């Protein structure tokens, strides 16, 4: 009886993991994952990499890797990007991989505001490998040998692939931004068998404001510019099916270093709700004038799993490159590093 209960719970856990999109703590250091409208959001070429290890001390470790490249085409409103994403859950080797192609269009509303819209087309593949699952009825305690389980129906390798789409937009000035992205527009089926299991649409609303402080030291450049000193407040609300989550925090930038404190969860939720406080996040990084950005964050678990998960570690790296002489005096997206000084 216990074995069948475990199988039932395990299958249920697999369906939950497949239904939810993976999360990244440093979502503003993963712009193409957050919103396709951010493709080409800086007037240079950009490559980036994100690596996240969630719950490293549990058997259910989740590893997430993302790599992207995007470009703004000089003297045009067009931008393009490519993102490659992969997540892996350790127990059943549940894997989700996709490659997305993004396009964005920039509309200068006036001298103070810009609206940028984007779209993404992606090919995804999900697979699982139950061959290495070990159940209690396989273990002979007397001899220490491993036998076949009577639960053969769950063992095997499964795979599903298909096409998906997403859209997004962001309205911003030099100090504020408000964005919306919607993924899984066609709600594709990702069931491993012949049943129907649609991926729920994923909604993200992200906004923030940057407060500029007194200027720092003069930069070592020919231009008469100064190091940035600023404080930013930001939030990102996510909703997918019955799940909802809010990231909000404050971050300071004393060029070239930045640091911040973030909260993840829903501060007020009803009894029995799946939306609860999850993590307190410490983030730090460095943004160099050469276009290099390196960030590290650690999620401190504050849910019922606290003390057992080992938290979550995340690393982000990005590089801006191209001819900076083509940069124009125009509104700059304030939630990303932009070497315009």
């Amino acid at each position: 009886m216990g074995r069948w209960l475990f199988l039932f719970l395990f299958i249920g856990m697999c369906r939950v993991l497949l239904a939810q999109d993976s999360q990244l703590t440093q979502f503003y250091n993963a712009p193409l994952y957050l919103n396709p409208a951010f493709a080409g959001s800086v007037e240079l070429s950009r490559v980036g990499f994100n690596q996240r290890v969630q719950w490293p001390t549990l058997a259910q470790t989740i590893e997430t890797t993302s790599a992207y490249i995007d470009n703004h085409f000089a003297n045009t409103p067009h931008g393009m990007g490519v993102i490659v994403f992969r997540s892996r859950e350790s127990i059943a080797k549940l894997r989700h991989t996709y490659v997305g192609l993004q396009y964005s269009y920039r509309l200068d509303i006036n001298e103070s505001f810009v609206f940028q819209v984007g779209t993404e087309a992606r090919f995804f593949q999900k697979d699982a490998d139950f061959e290495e699952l070990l159940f209690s009825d396989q273990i002979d305690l007397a001899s220490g040998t491993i036998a076949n389980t009577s639960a053969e129906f769950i063992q095997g390798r499964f795979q599903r692939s298909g096409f998906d789409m997403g859209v997004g937009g962001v309205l911003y000035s030099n100090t504020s931004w408000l964005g919306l992205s919607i993924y899984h527009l066609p709600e594709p089926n990702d069931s491993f068998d012949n049943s129907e299991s649609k991926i729920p649409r994923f909604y993200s609303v992200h906004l923030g404001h940057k407060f500029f402080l007194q200027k720092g030291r003069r930069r070592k450049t020919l231009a008469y510019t100064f190091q940035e000193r600023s404080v930013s407040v930001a939030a990102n609300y996510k909703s997918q099916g019955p799940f909802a989550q809010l990231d909000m925090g404050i971050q300071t930038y004393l060029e070239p270093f930045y640091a911040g404190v973030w909260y993840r969860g829903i501060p007020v939720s009803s009894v029995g709700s799946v939306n609860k406080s999850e993590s307190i996040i410490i983030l730090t990084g460095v943004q160099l004038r050469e276009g290099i950005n390196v960030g590290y964050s650690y999620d401190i678990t504050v849910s019922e799993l606290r003390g057992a998960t080992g938290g979550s570690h995340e690393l982000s790296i990005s590089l801006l490159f191209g001819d900076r002489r083509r940069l124009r005096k125009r509104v700059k997206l304030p939630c990303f590093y932009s070497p315009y000084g």
Side-chain angles (χ1 to χ4, degrees):
M1 178 64 181
R3 179 179 69 246
W4 302 111
L5 178 61
F6 172 80
L7 288 175
F8 175 79
L9 293 175
F10 182 82
I11 295 172
M13 181 191 72
C14 292
R15 287 190 175 272
V16 170
L17 289 173
L18 288 171
Q20 286 185 275
D21 280 26
S22 300
Q23 65 182 359
L24 291 174
T25 291
Q26 300 179 51
F27 47 87
Y28 284 122
N29 286 339
L32 274 63
Y33 183 68
L34 178 64
N35 191 329
F38 289 141
S41 56
V42 295
E43 295 179 83
L44 293 170
S45 299
R46 172 175 53 185
V47 294
F49 172 83
N50 300 80
Q51 176 71 37
R52 176 180 176 85
V53 179
Q54 182 175 334
W55 303 341
T57 59
L58 293 181
Q60 298 89 351
T61 299
I62 302 173
E63 297 181 5
T64 303
T65 304
S66 172
Y68 63 89
I69 181 170
D70 69 325
N71 177 70
H72 173 84
F73 296 96
N75 302 316
T76 76
H78 308 294
M80 293 197 69
V82 177
I83 179 171
V84 180
F85 183 90
R86 180 181 178 88
S87 64
R88 179 181 183 272
E89 190 277 335
S90 57
I91 287 186
K93 296 183 179 179
L94 291 168
R95 292 177 291 266
H96 175 207
T97 305
Y98 75 79
V99 178
L101 176 64
Q102 299 182 350
Y103 166 78
S104 69
Y105 184 89
R106 172 179 172 134
L107 175 63
D108 292 294
I109 298 176
N110 53 39
E111 294 182 355
S112 300
F113 288 94
V114 170
F115 180 69
Q116 194 153 319
V117 64
T119 184
E120 177 190 87
R122 71 171 64 165
F123 172 81
F124 73 88
Q125 179 175 294
K126 290 188 175 182
D127 54 277
D129 184 359
F130 298 141
E131 294 289 347
E132 298 182 12
L133 287 178
L134 182 64
F135 299 96
S136 59
D137 67 341
Q138 294 178 257
I139 305 174
D140 187 332
L141 297 178
S143 63
T145 58
I146 305 298
N148 292 327
T149 179
S150 59
E152 290 86 356
F153 74 91
I154 196 176
Q155 294 194 348
R157 297 182 179 180
F158 304 86
Q159 188 176 93
R160 184 82 182 197
S161 59
F163 289 94
D164 203 350
M165 292 189 65
V167 295
V170 58
L171 174 69
Y172 62 92
S173 67
N174 282 320
T175 58
S176 303
W177 66 93
L178 172 62
L180 167 68
S181 59
I182 307 173
Y183 288 103
H184 312 308
L185 283 177
E187 296 187 321
N189 184 19
D190 68 344
S191 173
F192 286 138
D193 52 32
N194 294 324
S195 64
E196 186 174 70
S197 177
K198 292 184 176 180
I199 305 176
R201 287 176 182 161
F202 180 92
Y203 300 88
S204 172
V205 178
H206 27 279
L207 70 162
H209 183 82
K210 177 181 285 190
F211 299 90
F212 287 95
L213 307 177
Q214 185 176 359
K215 295 179 180 179
R217 297 179 180 179
R218 182 178 175 181
R219 297 189 180 106
K220 296 180 180 179
T221 62
L222 295 177
Y224 194 73
T225 58
F226 298 86
Q227 291 181 325
E228 182 180 322
R229 300 287 186 264
S230 64
V231 175
S232 299
V233 291
N236 182 28
Y237 176 78
K238 297 165 286 185
S239 175
Q240 186 175 27
F243 301 96
Q245 198 171 72
L246 173 66
D247 289 10
M248 57 183 180
I250 184 170
Q251 197 161 296
T252 182
Y253 179 38
L254 305 177
E255 188 180 344
F257 303 103
Y258 63 89
V261 178
W262 293 76
Y263 164 85
R264 175 180 296 127
I266 301 293
V268 179
S269 57
S270 60
V271 177
S273 171
V274 296
N275 310 320
K276 300 179 180 179
S277 296
E278 181 183 322
S279 303
I280 299 295
I281 300 158
I282 306 298
L283 183 149
T284 186
V286 58
Q287 298 176 332
L288 302 177
R289 293 292 301 168
E290 292 77 11
I292 301 172
N293 175 25
V294 180
Y296 168 78
S297 60
Y298 178 70
D299 298 15
I300 304 171
T301 305
V302 296
S303 67
E304 290 84 350
L305 295 175
R306 60 183 176 271
T309 67
S312 300
H313 302 270
E314 187 171 314
L315 175 69
S316 66
I317 302 173
S318 64
L319 171 66
L320 293 169
F321 58 95
D323 186 2
R324 303 191 187 193
R325 293 175 297 179
R326 77 184 195 187
L327 299 179
R328 295 184 289 172
K329 297 293 183 180
R330 59 192 302 179
V331 179
K332 315 306 192 294
L333 187 62
C335 55
F336 298 121
Y337 169 56
S338 303
Y340 294 107

